[in-house]
mmCIF file of all heavy atoms in Angstrom:
data_model
loop_
_atom_site.group_PDB
_atom_site.id
_atom_site.type_symbol
_atom_site.label_atom_id
_atom_site.label_comp_id
_atom_site.label_asym_id
_atom_site.label_seq_id
_atom_site.Cartn_x
_atom_site.Cartn_y
_atom_site.Cartn_z
ATOM 1 N N THR A 105 114.682 92.559 90.921
ATOM 2 C CA THR A 105 114.228 91.305 91.516
ATOM 3 C C THR A 105 113.612 91.603 92.872
ATOM 4 O O THR A 105 114.210 92.286 93.692
ATOM 5 C CB THR A 105 115.400 90.333 91.701
ATOM 6 O OG1 THR A 105 115.983 90.059 90.431
ATOM 7 C CG2 THR A 105 114.928 89.030 92.349
ATOM 8 N N ARG A 106 112.392 91.069 93.076
ATOM 9 C CA ARG A 106 111.702 91.313 94.348
ATOM 10 C C ARG A 106 111.921 90.130 95.268
ATOM 11 O O ARG A 106 111.768 88.974 94.889
ATOM 12 C CB ARG A 106 110.214 91.541 94.115
ATOM 13 C CG ARG A 106 109.439 91.729 95.418
ATOM 14 C CD ARG A 106 108.004 92.081 95.178
ATOM 15 N NE ARG A 106 107.221 91.987 96.391
ATOM 16 C CZ ARG A 106 106.421 92.959 96.847
ATOM 17 N NH1 ARG A 106 106.327 94.096 96.171
ATOM 18 N NH2 ARG A 106 105.735 92.783 97.955
ATOM 19 N N TYR A 107 112.241 90.440 96.503
ATOM 20 C CA TYR A 107 112.430 89.421 97.535
ATOM 21 C C TYR A 107 111.307 89.573 98.559
ATOM 22 O O TYR A 107 111.113 90.656 99.104
ATOM 23 C CB TYR A 107 113.788 89.585 98.223
ATOM 24 C CG TYR A 107 114.959 89.386 97.297
ATOM 25 C CD1 TYR A 107 115.457 90.440 96.540
ATOM 26 C CD2 TYR A 107 115.560 88.133 97.168
ATOM 27 C CE1 TYR A 107 116.521 90.264 95.677
ATOM 28 C CE2 TYR A 107 116.625 87.947 96.311
ATOM 29 C CZ TYR A 107 117.102 89.008 95.564
ATOM 30 O OH TYR A 107 118.154 88.819 94.706
ATOM 31 N N ASP A 108 110.576 88.500 98.791
ATOM 32 C CA ASP A 108 109.472 88.489 99.751
ATOM 33 C C ASP A 108 109.713 87.446 100.823
ATOM 34 O O ASP A 108 110.058 86.302 100.523
ATOM 35 C CB ASP A 108 108.146 88.153 99.042
ATOM 36 C CG ASP A 108 107.477 89.375 98.474
ATOM 37 O OD1 ASP A 108 106.863 90.125 99.242
ATOM 38 O OD2 ASP A 108 107.602 89.574 97.256
ATOM 39 N N TYR A 109 109.475 87.849 102.049
ATOM 40 C CA TYR A 109 109.561 86.931 103.173
ATOM 41 C C TYR A 109 108.285 87.044 103.994
ATOM 42 O O TYR A 109 107.730 88.126 104.144
ATOM 43 C CB TYR A 109 110.782 87.244 104.041
ATOM 44 C CG TYR A 109 112.087 87.137 103.289
ATOM 45 C CD1 TYR A 109 112.713 88.264 102.797
ATOM 46 C CD2 TYR A 109 112.673 85.889 103.053
ATOM 47 C CE1 TYR A 109 113.897 88.179 102.089
ATOM 48 C CE2 TYR A 109 113.859 85.794 102.341
ATOM 49 C CZ TYR A 109 114.469 86.938 101.860
ATOM 50 O OH TYR A 109 115.636 86.838 101.157
ATOM 51 N N TRP A 110 107.848 85.882 104.522
ATOM 52 C CA TRP A 110 106.566 85.814 105.223
ATOM 53 C C TRP A 110 106.733 85.165 106.590
ATOM 54 O O TRP A 110 107.532 84.237 106.758
ATOM 55 C CB TRP A 110 105.559 84.996 104.418
ATOM 56 C CG TRP A 110 105.177 85.636 103.129
ATOM 57 C CD1 TRP A 110 105.790 85.483 101.924
ATOM 58 C CD2 TRP A 110 104.077 86.535 102.914
ATOM 59 N NE1 TRP A 110 105.143 86.237 100.966
ATOM 60 C CE2 TRP A 110 104.097 86.888 101.549
ATOM 61 C CE3 TRP A 110 103.099 87.071 103.746
ATOM 62 C CZ2 TRP A 110 103.164 87.760 100.989
ATOM 63 C CZ3 TRP A 110 102.165 87.937 103.192
ATOM 64 C CH2 TRP A 110 102.206 88.277 101.828
ATOM 65 N N GLY A 111 105.924 85.632 107.519
ATOM 66 C CA GLY A 111 105.811 84.946 108.786
ATOM 67 C C GLY A 111 104.825 83.797 108.674
ATOM 68 O O GLY A 111 104.186 83.597 107.635
ATOM 69 N N GLN A 112 104.678 83.049 109.757
ATOM 70 C CA GLN A 112 103.829 81.859 109.733
ATOM 71 C C GLN A 112 102.358 82.192 109.961
ATOM 72 O O GLN A 112 101.481 81.361 109.703
ATOM 73 C CB GLN A 112 104.294 80.853 110.809
ATOM 74 C CG GLN A 112 103.808 81.136 112.230
ATOM 75 C CD GLN A 112 104.523 82.302 112.896
ATOM 76 O OE1 GLN A 112 105.451 82.901 112.347
ATOM 77 N NE2 GLN A 112 104.086 82.635 114.095
ATOM 78 N N GLY A 113 102.083 83.390 110.417
ATOM 79 C CA GLY A 113 100.710 83.815 110.643
ATOM 80 C C GLY A 113 100.273 83.656 112.079
ATOM 81 O O GLY A 113 100.759 82.775 112.801
ATOM 82 N N THR A 114 99.370 84.523 112.487
ATOM 83 C CA THR A 114 98.791 84.450 113.826
ATOM 84 C C THR A 114 97.282 84.666 113.718
ATOM 85 O O THR A 114 96.819 85.539 112.988
ATOM 86 C CB THR A 114 99.444 85.478 114.776
ATOM 87 O OG1 THR A 114 98.950 85.285 116.107
ATOM 88 C CG2 THR A 114 99.172 86.913 114.353
ATOM 89 N N GLN A 115 96.530 83.848 114.438
ATOM 90 C CA GLN A 115 95.068 83.896 114.339
ATOM 91 C C GLN A 115 94.512 85.028 115.196
ATOM 92 O O GLN A 115 94.861 85.156 116.378
ATOM 93 C CB GLN A 115 94.472 82.565 114.790
ATOM 94 C CG GLN A 115 92.945 82.526 114.798
ATOM 95 C CD GLN A 115 92.358 82.547 113.405
ATOM 96 O OE1 GLN A 115 92.801 81.830 112.517
ATOM 97 N NE2 GLN A 115 91.322 83.377 113.207
ATOM 98 N N VAL A 116 93.635 85.803 114.592
ATOM 99 C CA VAL A 116 92.873 86.814 115.329
ATOM 100 C C VAL A 116 91.396 86.467 115.172
ATOM 101 O O VAL A 116 90.894 86.343 114.054
ATOM 102 C CB VAL A 116 93.135 88.233 114.779
ATOM 103 C CG1 VAL A 116 92.176 89.238 115.405
ATOM 104 C CG2 VAL A 116 94.581 88.631 115.038
ATOM 105 N N THR A 117 90.725 86.279 116.293
ATOM 106 C CA THR A 117 89.309 85.949 116.293
ATOM 107 C C THR A 117 88.552 86.985 117.097
ATOM 108 O O THR A 117 88.884 87.220 118.271
ATOM 109 C CB THR A 117 89.061 84.553 116.877
ATOM 110 O OG1 THR A 117 89.790 83.579 116.124
ATOM 111 C CG2 THR A 117 87.571 84.203 116.831
ATOM 112 N N VAL A 118 87.570 87.608 116.468
ATOM 113 C CA VAL A 118 86.753 88.624 117.128
ATOM 114 C C VAL A 118 85.353 88.046 117.300
ATOM 115 O O VAL A 118 84.630 87.834 116.324
ATOM 116 C CB VAL A 118 86.699 89.931 116.327
ATOM 117 C CG1 VAL A 118 85.928 90.996 117.123
ATOM 118 C CG2 VAL A 118 88.100 90.413 115.999
#
Side-chain angles (χ1 to χ4, degrees):
T105 300
R106 177 175 168 129
Y107 297 86
D108 273 282
Y109 300 99
W110 294 89
Q112 81 286 356
T114 186
Q115 177 70 46
V116 171
T117 302
V118 185

